[in-house]
Amino acid sequence: PYLQLGIGVGAVKRTIDAKSSHESDTQVSYGPVLGASLGFSMLFYDLGGAFLQANYEYAPVGENLLGDKLNAGGMSVVVGTTIHFGGK
């Protein structure tokens, strides 16, 4: 089993179009991104392996006109395989 933690900066670009005046306003919001992953990997001899990983990201980077924050993160699950070529 393994645990991964991450921190970074996220960005959201928002464009508001005013149909009556044919004008638009583009804004970019920045905010923190925090992430955590918990996984399990298994090797099959020297051929390769498989892994299962669950992730969660918290990324409150966007904001609507009412001031509500948008969490652009969320949960995800990843299943994969690895293949090893060559020697050890």
Side-chain angles (χ1 to χ4, degrees):
Y2 60 88
L3 173 69
Q4 296 176 335
L5 300 174
I7 186 170
V9 177
V12 171
K13 180 179 175 183
R14 177 181 68 193
T15 301
I16 300 172
D17 293 322
K19 296 187 187 227
S20 60
S21 63
H22 301 290
E23 295 180 9
S24 64
D25 179 32
T26 301
Q27 299 173 351
V28 179
S29 300
Y30 299 94
V33 178
L34 306 173
S37 301
L38 179 63
F40 175 77
S41 63
M42 184 174 16
L43 292 176
F44 304 114
Y45 305 102
D46 287 336
L47 302 174
F51 66 92
L52 173 66
Q53 179 174 308
N55 311 301
Y56 181 78
E57 288 186 350
Y58 177 68
V61 294
E63 191 173 293
N64 65 15
L65 295 175
L66 299 174
D68 299 327
K69 286 285 188 180
L70 165 70
N71 180 7
M75 275 203 79
S76 63
V77 175
V78 180
V79 177
T81 61
T82 60
I83 299 173
H84 297 182
F85 295 100
K88 293 182 181 181

